[in-house]
Amino acid sequence: MTKKIESILNQEEFTKSDLIQLMKIEDKEDLELLFKKAYEIKSKYVGRKVYYRGLIEISNRCIKNCNYCGIRRDNKKVERFSMSKDEIMKSVKWIYENNYASLALQSGERQDKEFVDFIEDLIKEIKTLSNGKLGITLSLGEQSKETYQRWFDAGAHRYLLRIESTNLDIYNKLHPMDNKHTFEVRKRCLEYLREIGYQVGTGVMIGLPNQTEEDLVNDILFYKEMDIDMIGMGPYILHRDTPLGKEWENVVRSEEKRVELGLKMIAITRILLKDVNIAATTALQGLDPNGREKGLLAGANILMPTATALEHKGKYLLYDNKPGIKDSVEKAKEDMDKKVKSIGDEIVYGAWGDSLHFKNK
Ligand code: 5AD
Ligand code: SF4
């Protein structure tokens, strides 16, 4: 087997069937070869550099009802919170003072006027506080083109909106239809973001029941076709108070297999797309204490340490056993610094670390 994988990895171009073969690798030596190749490509195209995005989870209120997510609208067990502007600005200041240079605002989805105005003001305030120096990524779900434009004009320049899965059967299983939560709408949102001029990020959940290796390759081909600049993806993790958390308890692949698939996704995405930004996500670490470092070694170059205030962290639970919810932001930073250095990557402070793919266009 190793010779075959070696020869695929030495090619300049890959067919879909090559990519599926890579996605199906199970042999440990072959996996090492795959990760090594991805790390080589990362070194060559984006450098052995890691950029931080300080993540602030500003609210767990959500109008959507995704069947996998712990903060879905119908989960009545969740204590809902929305951070005040002052609270958010405190985290922003911490991120700025710790020289992260970029932050990401994430929350459940809301489309009402109050929320849209609030975010617009917040973006302006962040820009003012940092003299325009903090790069702002938004991860606030599906919005109208006008809203995306307003937030862009206020100073946000990157947007993450995961496509979750490009297999339509899976997409529809993940998302109830009651609030027009369709694949088409989500894809159109990605197109709006591109037209407006954002650096556009997307991603999928990995290791969902009935998701095949071919589906995952199709997800990567979707990133390519949509000319995506940034990728954030991670293994699916059960949440017990969700419809799918119950239904899938006994059919989901083992945690180890989901981590392995997650790492293969990172590696193959890096090998195919080369100069994009790829995050090693918290979900990866949720299933493996060393998940994020393994992600960096498989080709990721972005980490998103949470800077959410400790009192709210425990309420932003998209899945069970979310790591780090008892850690202070300082501890999260220390841990991460050590881990990144231990694998020999350099942490770059004070620079935006924009997607080179976006710049190279
Ligand atoms: N497991 C893994 N990822 C999840 N997300 C939401 N719920 C889960 C889960 N149970 C991810 C989705 C969403 C992002 C904010 O978090 O991909 O887009
Ligand atoms: Fe809301 Fe996002 Fe969770 Fe869906 S995945 S329920 S949109 S927070």
Side-chain angles (χ1 to χ4, degrees):
M1 187 71 178
T2 303
K3 277 269 166 295
K4 180 109 181 264
I5 294 298
E6 219 168 355
S7 85
I8 294 179
L9 288 172
N10 282 330
Q11 296 167 195
E12 295 290 324
E13 305 281 333
F14 306 91
T15 63
K16 184 166 165 183
S17 126
D18 293 333
L19 298 175
I20 294 174
Q21 283 199 56
L22 296 179
M23 196 66 77
K24 285 189 172 164
I25 293 179
E26 297 218 347
D27 179 84
K28 290 285 172 233
E29 266 177 53
D30 288 351
L31 271 180
E32 285 314 311
L33 281 180
L34 176 74
F35 298 151
K36 198 165 147 260
K37 180 73 184 184
Y39 196 78
E40 260 169 48
I41 304 246
K42 158 176 155 175
S43 310
K44 179 166 169 203
Y45 285 86
V46 296
R48 293 176 64 181
K49 294 181 181 145
V50 175
Y51 297 89
Y52 283 167
R53 318 282 183 232
L55 176 66
I56 315 177
E57 293 141 332
I58 60 178
S59 168
N60 64 359
R61 291 180 212 282
C62 189
I63 57 169
K64 286 224 161 66
N65 218 5
C66 305
N67 292 325
Y68 48 86
C69 174
I71 62 170
R72 63 198 299 273
R73 190 187 62 213
D74 285 354
N75 185 3
K76 303 288 182 239
K77 291 193 184 164
V78 178
E79 186 191 334
R80 303 287 167 173
F81 76 92
S82 297
M83 286 167 78
S84 67
K85 191 171 284 161
D86 283 353
E87 278 181 299
I88 299 171
M89 289 309 290
K90 240 202 225 156
S91 297
V92 170
K93 237 174 148 176
W94 186 90
I95 290 168
Y96 185 54
E97 282 165 0
N98 282 275
N99 215 6
Y100 278 14
S102 281
L103 59 77
L105 301 176
Q106 189 175 81
S107 85
E109 194 172 302
R110 277 177 57 187
Q111 301 170 343
D112 54 284
K113 182 172 180 320
E114 190 192 338
F115 181 75
V116 173
D117 292 348
F118 178 82
I119 297 295
E120 185 178 34
D121 286 349
L122 182 63
I123 295 168
K124 288 183 185 158
E125 214 162 297
I126 296 171
K127 282 283 158 188
T128 309
L129 174 124
S130 66
N131 282 322
K133 288 207 185 98
L134 268 176
I136 303 177
T137 306
L138 302 179
S139 176
L140 306 171
E142 294 173 7
Q143 303 290 341
S144 67
K145 189 166 184 191
E146 290 69 34
T147 298
Y148 286 145
Q149 183 73 56
R150 275 175 59 189
W151 292 346
F152 185 78
D153 294 341
H157 78 296
R158 311 182 183 116
Y159 205 103
L160 299 172
L161 181 68
R162 290 190 179 179
I163 195 75
E164 311 296 359
S165 173
T166 60
N167 173 318
L168 285 184
D169 290 334
I170 294 180
Y171 191 93
N172 293 335
K173 171 99 185 151
L174 295 175
H175 302 109
M177 276 304 141
D178 57 346
N179 47 10
K180 299 203 194 72
H181 199 155
T182 64
F183 182 84
E184 288 69 38
V185 169
R186 188 149 286 222
K187 185 168 173 214
R188 196 167 330 120
C189 283
L190 290 171
E191 287 160 358
Y192 290 155
L193 292 163
R194 162 79 60 234
E195 286 159 21
I196 291 169
Y198 281 95
Q199 292 175 38
V200 182
T202 195
V204 295
M205 283 186 294
I206 302 160
L208 298 159
N210 301 321
Q211 187 182 40
T212 63
E213 279 77 5
E214 181 171 1
D215 289 330
L216 291 168
V217 165
N218 284 335
D219 293 340
I220 299 178
L221 294 173
F222 175 86
Y223 304 155
K224 187 171 162 68
E225 178 197 314
M226 298 288 287
D227 205 13
I228 290 298
D229 307 302
M230 322 179 288
I231 289 140
M233 56 190 170
Y236 165 65
I237 307 179
L238 298 160
H239 187 295
R240 73 193 80 144
D241 299 319
T242 59
L244 294 179
K246 296 196 178 90
E247 185 183 329
W248 282 347
E249 209 169 359
N250 298 316
V251 290
V252 75
R253 288 179 230 221
S254 72
E255 295 191 348
E256 198 188 342
K257 278 287 163 211
R258 273 177 279 154
V259 170
E260 191 176 289
L261 259 189
L263 296 172
K264 284 193 276 187
M265 277 295 275
I266 291 177
I268 298 169
T269 302
R270 174 62 70 201
I271 290 168
L272 193 70
L273 304 187
K274 301 192 168 58
D275 58 358
V276 294
N277 276 347
I278 305 178
T281 56
T282 322
L284 208 47
Q285 201 200 353
L287 294 186
D288 180 334
N290 299 318
R292 276 188 301 205
E293 299 79 85
K294 289 183 184 169
L296 296 177
L297 288 170
N301 67 327
I302 301 287
L303 290 172
M304 300 177 72
T306 160
T308 308
L310 203 51
E311 59 173 309
H312 296 310
K313 264 189 183 179
K315 299 175 213 151
Y316 201 87
L317 301 181
L318 307 181
Y319 42 80
D320 288 339
N321 304 322
K322 188 173 171 188
I325 55 171
K326 295 214 175 76
D327 294 347
S328 67
V329 283
E330 285 77 16
K331 171 136 188 342
K333 177 171 187 287
E334 258 172 48
D335 284 356
M336 197 144 353
D337 283 0
K338 261 192 233 143
K339 286 186 165 177
V340 175
K341 283 184 191 139
S342 77
I343 64 163
D345 275 3
E346 175 201 354
I347 306 165
V348 185
Y349 285 103
W352 279 9
D354 277 333
S355 162
L356 289 177
H357 182 72
F358 186 83
K359 289 192 179 159
N360 291 340
K361 277 180 197 171

